[in-house]
Amino acid sequence: MPTTDATTAAATAATAVRTGRLEAPGATLHYEVRGRGPLLVMMPGGSADAGIYDTLAAGLADRWTVVAFDPRGYSRSTLHGPAGEQLPGTHSEDIARLIELLSPDGAPAAVFGSSSSAIVALDLLSRRPGLVGRVVAHEPPLVELLPDPAAGRAVFAAVRESFLRDGVEAAMAAMAAGLAPEGGAGGGRHEVATGADEESRAATGPVEDGGATAPPEESGGASQAEAEAEAQNGAGAGAGAGAEVDAAAEAEAATVRRMMANLPVFLEHVLCSFSGHAPDLDALRAAAPKLVVGVGRDSRALLPAVAAERLAQRVGSATAEFPGGHVGLTEDPVAFGARLREVLLG
């Protein structure tokens, strides 16, 4: 029977991050791998990169080889030339290359995408169905499937124009206004389609709470020498814990800085071309048994969830409700990860 130390070492090895670089036409992709088992590709949406999945990936690494990556043009995935308009098809080919590189024995992979990356996941399923065994597409904001596609296109076009004219803050305000339900109830920046604000808030939350330590326990009837020794040992342990907290805080802060730096690329070159993508509905109908469309429990009235449910109806796929809203994966990554595990294994 494995010892506690051996079990701990195995768990640590399972969640240890292995990084790599993949050359693709026009870009060099940064990716991160955890765990062992069938391949699961976690695709970041909005302006996020691989770091947004740190908690989710660690929680799923006991069952899957979990791959997260920075989309081309974001963070550590560098373009070979100037940034230009990005297309879902180009990004889905990047995922196909990652699967072909990393899938054990060439077995089909599971793929999860949220928001804009869910659109990429759908494109991959329609173009390369043999590469995937299960696709979970959480709230793809496909405006062409809305009751009034022109109105949806206008929302995102206005966001892009706001960015080009007045910058990121104005664009995010335009996003919040455009996506709020009538009367503003339940809308606002909490549920914007990029998820950038909420992802940043979720990533910085642990930093604000980190570093707090419990008071030392009473020494009871111990001698002065024992008490001093305990205090010294406790100080050493506290220093070690403090260093770990500092390192985690800096890693989280670095992730936030990268994601915020990606916003200009997202707003100018990704938002409109991805949301305006017309999926191949015939191909998705043929692959519907592999597809699960995710919808947030708290965001059903908002544009991405409405589009997602209409997609499921049009192609005959299963749907699954997830905790939280459009960015539920950052609101409660543990609960979201538990639900994702159920859907992947279902």
Side-chain angles (χ1 to χ4, degrees):
M1 183 173 181
T3 65
T4 301
D5 287 346
T7 301
T8 301
T12 301
T15 57
V17 181
R18 308 176 304 273
T19 63
R21 308 280 285 174
L22 173 64
E23 293 298 327
T28 301
L29 306 178
H30 167 91
Y31 64 87
E32 302 175 357
V33 184
R34 295 173 174 86
R36 294 286 188 274
L39 188 66
L40 167 60
V41 181
M42 305 286 287
M43 303 168 56
S47 66
D49 65 20
I52 203 66
Y53 286 128
D54 282 351
T55 300
L56 272 175
L60 296 169
D62 65 323
R63 177 63 177 77
W64 289 273
T65 297
V66 185
V67 178
F69 65 99
D70 298 350
R72 59 169 57 218
Y74 283 9
S75 301
R76 298 152 294 189
S77 288
T78 54
L79 296 174
H80 297 166
E85 197 68 6
Q86 299 296 302
L87 299 174
T90 305
H91 285 242
S92 71
E93 281 302 310
D94 289 342
I95 309 310
R97 292 183 182 91
L98 275 173
I99 293 172
E100 290 168 342
L101 175 68
L102 298 171
S103 182
D105 304 320
V111 174
F112 172 78
S114 184
S115 195
S116 58
S117 68
I119 295 171
V120 178
L122 293 169
D123 189 77
L124 175 67
L125 178 60
S126 66
R127 291 170 180 259
R128 306 288 296 275
L131 288 179
V132 295
R134 174 63 58 93
V135 170
V136 182
H138 183 262
E139 297 202 355
L142 291 163
V143 299
E144 297 305 314
L145 300 183
L146 294 173
D148 186 353
R153 288 193 296 269
V155 167
F156 293 123
V159 172
R160 184 176 184 272
E161 288 305 313
S162 292
F163 165 70
L164 293 174
R165 183 179 61 250
D166 299 316
V168 168
E169 186 172 351
M172 301 309 288
M175 181 85 75
L179 294 182
E182 287 189 24
R189 303 181 78 166
H190 182 69
E191 300 288 356
V192 295
T194 68
D197 253 18
E198 187 64 17
E199 285 165 350
S200 299
R201 184 184 66 77
T204 55
V207 177
E208 296 167 358
D209 296 337
T213 56
E217 295 181 356
E218 296 290 337
S219 61
S223 69
Q224 182 67 24
E226 288 172 335
E228 289 176 357
E230 276 190 24
Q232 290 173 357
N233 290 337
E244 290 179 5
V245 169
D246 288 345
E250 175 51 36
E252 289 167 348
T255 297
V256 172
R257 288 193 296 268
R258 292 195 309 267
M259 293 193 302
M260 298 307 290
N262 294 335
L263 268 171
V265 176
F266 172 75
L267 292 167
E268 183 172 359
H269 299 299
V270 175
L271 176 63
C272 290
S273 56
F274 276 49
S275 62
H277 175 70
D280 186 337
L281 297 179
D282 290 336
L284 292 175
R285 285 190 197 97
K290 298 182 177 184
L291 175 62
V292 178
V293 176
V295 178
R297 181 182 58 234
D298 302 332
S299 52
R300 287 185 176 272
L302 301 184
L303 181 156
V306 172
E309 294 197 288
R310 290 177 68 86
L311 168 69
Q313 293 166 4
R314 294 281 295 274
V315 304
S317 73
T319 60
E321 184 175 86
F322 280 79
H326 185 65
V327 289
L329 67 94
T330 63
E331 294 166 343
D332 189 344
V334 174
F336 196 97
R339 179 58 174 147
L340 180 58
R341 181 186 292 267
E342 292 173 355
V343 173
L344 290 170
L345 294 175

